[in-house]
Amino acid sequence: MNGRFVFILQVVQITGLVLLVLLVSLLMYLSARKAIHNKHTDRYNRRLQRLLATDSALQVFLETGEASRILNVRKDRRSPVFEALRIRLSISRTEHERALIYEYARNHFHDYYARQLKNRRWSTRVNALLELELFRMDTMRKELSELLGKTKPSDTERFLILRIFASLQMKEVLPYLKEEASFLSDSQLLQLILPLQSALQEVILNEFHVYPLRVQCAVVDALRLRNERSALVLSHLESLLGSEEPDLRLRAVNAIANFGYLSPDGEGKLLTLLQTQTGISWDERQALARLMGSIREEHFLPVLLEFLGDESYPVRQTASDSLSRYKSGEEQLQSAALHHPDRFAREMAEETLERKRYEGVFH
């Protein structure tokens, strides 16, 4: 019995010793690996700081367009050149400097990104697409089209490819807006449409009713956000005042408010819309009140005074603010505060008069 106990004790001791050796070995391995990683990180950071210095080879390249041998070495993602170029893009204020960075990326990063797009790892491909967009790699059009057409990319990859197409003004993005908008969110649609410049924008406007409603709404939102001001855009927005789609009509009203004026034909369409206001939502009535404050045509005053007694508080508030922008605004609000048949309208007029006098708008 004692011999068996001694044997078991020896086995336990040997096992413990082996485990201790393994743990010490693992600790030494991890420590060595950490030291090597820190060494590489320090070297990377030193090289990055040298590239970002005011007298660096990168600075000389951005000033003269001449790339030194330091910048012509083989590139991969571990090279600090990637990060240095990304940082310079984020702080660059001149189109010339950004153009040099884009040209450098096209000349040196093409093969690297072509390999990355064929990688089996989803995260690697997505990161490559994000960097292609950052560096505007228009030399990758063929590879991107193949990735989109010959394979089955994920929704994220497909969206990123389409966003690159849009940023590069590639007409290939338009069929996807027509046929596959359903897999895109409203935010993603807006990201695809906002970068489009006048040539592609005109193509979309000429075929506007071919696109799905969600795309139409995104196009109008993009026109408003870019503050587009042209006869073509104004004519198109005015035509939407007669739309039977409330969401599209609301966006058109908000976009027209940026112009501050309407054509005679547009005013006629607006008056027609105002005559049917009983069937429209409060947010559209609020947008109409804001639009009338932007246009400031005297024949809209009766409508604004009617909106001053609207059942919705935001509509009443916007109508009173719009009235204050008219030449006779103070007089109109004073009259409304005394004689408007609606109690809430009188209170809103008094509140607006007091606020505008405090702000110095009225004296």
Side-chain angles (χ1 to χ4, degrees):
M1 186 70 179
N2 289 337
R4 186 176 181 182
F5 176 77
V6 171
F7 174 76
I8 294 174
L9 182 60
Q10 290 176 342
V11 170
V12 171
Q13 290 175 339
I14 293 173
T15 303
L17 182 61
V18 170
L19 289 175
L20 179 62
V21 171
L22 289 175
L23 288 174
V24 171
S25 300
L26 180 60
L27 178 61
M28 293 176 63
Y29 167 75
L30 292 176
S31 299
R33 185 172 179 177
K34 180 67 174 178
I36 294 172
H37 177 266
N38 289 341
K39 182 179 179 180
H40 288 166
T41 301
D42 290 342
R43 183 188 304 168
Y44 177 92
N45 289 334
R46 287 196 301 271
R47 293 176 62 192
L48 177 61
Q49 292 304 316
R50 285 199 297 268
L51 285 170
L52 294 175
T54 55
D55 58 347
S56 67
L58 178 58
Q59 182 64 35
V60 172
F61 168 70
L62 295 177
E63 291 177 354
T64 66
E66 298 180 2
S68 68
R69 187 172 59 181
I70 297 176
L71 296 178
N72 287 327
V73 296
R74 182 179 178 181
K75 306 297 183 301
D76 58 45
R77 195 61 186 87
R78 292 169 293 182
S79 170
V81 174
F82 279 86
E83 184 65 14
L85 291 176
R86 187 193 65 79
I87 293 174
R88 289 306 299 257
L89 271 179
S90 67
I91 63 176
S92 175
R93 296 184 179 180
T94 66
E95 187 60 36
H96 174 70
E97 186 172 295
R98 289 192 291 270
L100 285 173
I101 293 175
Y102 298 147
E103 181 183 2
Y104 179 89
R106 288 193 295 268
N107 293 335
H108 294 84
F109 297 163
H110 182 280
D111 293 342
Y112 167 75
Y113 284 123
R115 293 193 303 271
Q116 296 298 93
L117 291 179
K118 296 178 181 179
N119 196 288
R120 297 180 63 182
R121 294 182 61 182
W122 176 85
S123 60
T124 299
R125 297 194 304 273
V126 168
N127 286 333
L129 290 171
L130 290 171
E131 292 174 6
L132 285 174
E133 182 180 22
L134 175 67
F135 292 123
R136 297 191 182 181
M137 297 279 290
D138 54 3
T139 57
M140 300 292 297
R141 296 186 181 205
K142 179 181 177 182
E143 288 83 355
L144 291 172
S145 297
E146 290 178 353
L147 180 60
L148 187 61
K150 295 183 179 180
T151 62
K152 293 183 178 179
S154 65
D155 286 349
T156 300
E157 291 174 276
R158 182 161 43 172
F159 166 66
L160 290 176
I161 294 172
L162 292 177
R163 197 167 69 179
I164 294 172
F165 285 175
S167 66
L168 297 178
Q169 307 303 308
M170 294 174 60
K171 62 182 180 180
E172 286 84 348
V173 72
L174 300 183
Y176 287 92
L177 290 176
K178 292 179 183 177
E179 301 165 7
E180 300 190 27
S182 58
F183 81 89
L184 297 167
S185 68
D186 292 342
S187 173
Q188 289 175 329
L189 282 173
L190 194 58
Q191 290 179 58
L192 295 182
I193 295 171
L194 270 174
L196 300 181
Q197 297 177 3
S198 56
L200 289 180
Q201 175 184 294
E202 187 172 344
V203 172
I204 292 178
L205 293 182
N206 289 335
E207 302 177 346
F208 187 76
H209 295 290
V210 177
Y211 291 88
L213 176 62
R214 291 177 60 243
V215 176
Q216 294 178 7
C217 291
V219 169
V220 176
D221 283 340
L223 294 175
R224 175 180 57 83
L225 292 172
R226 288 203 303 257
N227 199 21
E228 291 282 351
R229 293 172 176 268
S230 68
L232 174 65
V233 171
L234 180 60
S235 175
H236 177 73
L237 293 175
E238 289 176 346
S239 70
L240 298 179
L241 292 176
S243 173
E244 296 182 358
E245 295 292 343
D247 288 342
L248 187 58
R249 198 169 58 233
L250 172 61
R251 285 169 166 81
V253 171
N254 284 327
I256 293 173
N258 284 354
F259 279 81
Y261 61 89
L262 281 172
S263 68
D265 184 52
E267 285 193 16
K269 292 178 180 178
L270 178 57
L271 288 171
T272 301
L273 176 59
L274 291 170
Q275 291 171 0
T276 61
Q277 59 179 285
T278 53
I280 61 179
S281 62
W282 71 266
D283 51 347
E284 189 171 353
R285 295 197 302 275
Q286 183 185 24
L288 287 168
R290 186 182 301 111
L291 173 58
M292 288 183 284
S294 176
I295 298 172
R296 285 175 284 185
E297 292 289 345
E298 295 294 320
H299 50 265
F300 289 123
L301 283 173
V303 183
L304 283 173
L305 289 171
E306 182 181 350
F307 277 10
L308 197 60
D310 194 272
E311 61 183 14
S312 170
Y313 178 83
V315 176
R316 297 198 302 272
Q317 186 178 49
T318 303
S320 65
D321 285 338
S322 293
L323 279 169
S324 70
R325 301 183 65 186
Y326 279 70
K327 187 176 181 180
S328 60
E330 184 175 12
E331 179 184 344
Q332 294 291 337
L333 287 170
Q334 287 175 340
S335 176
L338 294 173
H339 306 298
H340 200 288
D342 185 88
R343 176 173 64 88
F344 295 110
R346 295 194 298 271
E347 292 176 355
M348 180 59 68
E350 291 176 358
E351 177 186 320
T352 303
L353 281 169
E354 182 178 350
R355 186 175 73 253
K356 294 300 179 181
R357 286 166 179 164
Y358 177 79
E359 294 172 354
V361 177
F362 297 153
H363 302 287

